[in-house]
Amino acid sequence: RIILMEFESIWLLHTYTPNNGKSDKSFKRREDWESKLQLFLQELQKFSSKSLVYMGDLNIAPNDVDLSDPDWFRNAHQEPLDERNRGQPGCTPGERQNFQELLKAGNLFDAFRKKNPAPPTDSKSPVPDIKGPYYSWRGNDSAQYGVTGRFFGKGMRIDHALISEELNPRLEECKLLGHGVDRIGFMGSDHCPIFLRLSEQQKEGGN
């Protein structure tokens, strides 16, 4: 899914990024998507001087701090996958590298992480509390099947608000609107909304 809207001072892009999956076919689909998206972002900057706000389910937890259980996620699906695609889809080495290349191609930064810095590496809790508003995706308890799903109680931050570097002075707020193992604020989904607030653009010569 791709939506692109033009406003007075910005472009607003919303996409659903295909899941990396677990097969050669799905790996290729994701790589093709990433390369075409990076090219699009580069071409958009040539076409227009307007800044970009890019939001959506990008299916990538950029760093371990974006996972409730980093070791558990990283150690999933280890064989017989190649190194770039080892681990749970959404946090594999290849996906993380592509995310950094995406930021560079679009001259973008992660608005949520800018406003919600990661815990220090020497913190007693190296990842944010699973109960807090830090993970945009939460595992289902599979209660309708009478069992607890293996992802229950786990979370990933895979929905993002990426904005152009020149919008940094206008960034006021960015937060996730869902929290808790029971997915409060998720409105029936396994993903919660993400909220972004930018200040109004200053008029030339204005205050």
Side-chain angles (χ1 to χ4, degrees), residues 47-154:
F47 171 76
S48 172
S49 61
K50 292 183 179 182
S51 302
L52 175 65
V53 173
Y54 178 20
M55 303 182 71
D57 176 1
L58 307 191
N59 260 316
I60 174 62
N63 298 288
D64 281 358
V65 73
D66 301 307
L67 302 170
S68 64
D69 301 79
D71 289 340
W72 188 90
F73 281 109
R74 277 201 314 269
N75 290 328
H77 311 302
Q78 288 293 311
E79 296 180 359
L81 306 179
D82 64 272
E83 186 174 350
R84 276 181 62 83
N85 293 301
R86 285 180 184 166
Q88 176 64 32
C91 61
T92 62
E95 291 172 285
R96 288 181 167 182
Q97 180 181 342
N98 286 335
F99 181 77
Q100 295 304 317
E101 292 174 356
L102 171 71
L103 295 179
K104 183 177 180 180
N107 192 33
L108 304 169
F109 70 91
D110 182 345
F112 177 86
R113 189 55 69 212
K114 186 78 171 183
K115 285 298 184 180
N116 304 271
T121 54
D122 60 350
S123 170
K124 293 182 180 180
S125 179
V127 296
D129 187 349
I130 186 62
K131 299 178 182 178
Y134 308 113
Y135 305 102
S136 63
W137 175 89
R138 306 278 181 146
N140 196 319
D141 63 1
S142 299
Q144 64 268 39
Y145 303 112
V147 297
T148 298
R150 68 190 184 98
F151 290 103
F152 181 63
K154 296 179 174 62

Side-chain angles (χ1 to χ4, degrees), residues 24-37:
D24 290 341
K25 182 179 179 180
S26 63
F27 299 154
K28 184 180 186 305
R29 177 186 63 183
R30 179 63 177 268
E31 288 288 349
D32 288 346
W33 166 272
E34 296 288 352
S35 60
K36 291 176 180 178
L37 179 59

